[in-house]
Amino acid sequence: GAGVSQSPSNKVTEKGKDVELRCDPISGHTALYWYRQRLGQGLEFLIYFQGNSAPDKSGLPSDRFSAERTGESVSTLTIQRTQQEDSAVYLCASSLRGINEQFFGPGTRLTVL
Amino acid sequence: AQSVAQPEDQVNVAEGNPLTVKCTYSVSGNPYLFWYVQYPNRGLQFLLKYITGDNLVKGSYGFEAEFNKSQTSFHLKKPSALVSDSALYFCAVRAYGSGNTGKLIFGQGTTLQVKP
């Protein structure tokens, strides 16, 4: 079956602009995660959605970052007033439930000029 | 606080030789442990996991990992390395129990280089 998909694959933007990143999880997966991977570093947790429960936003680095998910489908990660330090690969993952292994999308490479 | 350490930035091994990529963790409560592999310009692929049961876990592509509770380690191993195993490997942990979400804490990654 189809895996996790993300769009766009690459995004170049100017400092101060807003960007929106999209994630389509695997069908039937109730849990969805966003991570950030800076160059040469490990993954940094951003936010977690589980079904209709309140999301775990504990990893969001500032109030410029927000994410939404409608039901158990698509999620969007929005970064407002982008800064150069936001440049990274943003990875989305989904799992059957929160305890299962996560399946990752190919990521969106964000470059803020 | 939960944490994962991968003490080696890079591991070099000759093709056909056994390989080990090290991982130690710190978590309150019992851990769920995972290994992922990342090939250049691609997302992470799940290799294997330890939840409970046998300490030796077998996964994809001939990889296995050994859970050692006393040493809080979960080293990744393969008996005979292939050049195609060359990639970036991540160890990850999460704690289970009430109040814990599914978020994973990742190590910094270890680059495996297998030379012909």
Side-chain angles (χ1 to χ4, degrees):
Chain A
V4 178
S5 61
Q6 293 185 246
S7 60
S9 55
N10 280 284
K11 177 71 176 179
V12 180
T13 190
E14 295 179 346
K15 177 181 173 181
K17 300 281 190 182
D18 298 352
V19 295
E20 190 171 278
L21 313 180
R22 176 187 169 105
C23 172
D24 281 271
I26 294 172
S27 178
H29 280 193
T30 63
L32 186 146
Y33 312 79
W34 284 97
Y35 295 88
R36 178 170 68 178
Q37 185 178 24
R38 289 195 166 115
L39 186 64
Q41 299 187 22
L43 276 72
E44 174 188 7
F45 167 78
L46 296 177
I47 189 169
Y48 159 62
F49 297 91
Q50 172 61 62
N52 294 318
S53 301
D56 176 357
K57 303 180 180 180
S58 61
L60 294 178
S62 77
D63 59 7
R64 296 186 296 105
F65 288 72
S66 62
E68 293 183 349
R69 187 185 187 195
T70 304
E72 297 181 354
S73 60
V74 171
S75 175
T76 56
L77 176 68
T78 301
I79 309 174
Q80 296 178 310
R81 306 181 302 281
T82 52
Q83 304 295 313
Q84 288 182 334
E85 62 261 29
D86 299 334
S87 295
V89 175
Y90 289 82
L91 291 165
C92 175
S94 69
S95 66
L96 272 174
R97 292 180 297 155
I99 64 170
N100 296 97
E101 61 268 26
Q102 298 174 23
F103 294 87
F104 283 79
T108 294
R109 183 176 299 277
L110 175 65
T111 303
V112 182
L113 302 177
Chain B
Q2 299 176 59
S3 65
V4 175
Q6 294 181 241
E8 303 152 316
D9 290 336
Q10 182 159 327
V11 169
N12 297 309
V13 64
E15 187 174 33
N17 283 0
L19 70 87
T20 299
V21 183
K22 295 180 180 177
C23 171
T24 58
Y25 66 90
S26 174
V27 66
S28 56
N30 293 313
Y32 287 169
L33 293 155
F34 302 83
W35 275 101
Y36 286 85
V37 59
Q38 186 175 36
Y39 296 99
N41 300 314
R42 294 175 63 179
L44 274 71
Q45 295 180 33
F46 169 74
L47 277 180
L48 50 80
K49 66 180 178 182
Y50 171 83
I51 304 297
T52 187
D54 289 342
N55 290 341
L56 185 64
V57 178
K58 295 189 182 297
S60 306
Y61 313 120
F63 284 93
E64 58 190 28
E66 186 168 12
F67 171 64
N68 188 317
K69 188 173 184 178
S70 63
Q71 296 185 1
T72 61
S73 67
F74 189 56
H75 301 330
L76 181 70
K77 301 181 180 182
K78 187 173 183 181
S80 178
L82 299 172
V83 172
S84 58
D85 293 331
S86 299
L88 182 58
Y89 290 80
F90 289 99
C91 181
V93 68
R94 61 147 291 189
Y96 66 78
S98 61
N100 286 304
T101 68
K103 70 180 182 184
L104 294 176
I105 306 300
F106 283 83
Q108 292 299 300
T110 298
T111 299
L112 174 64
Q113 190 76 255
V114 182
K115 297 186 178 179

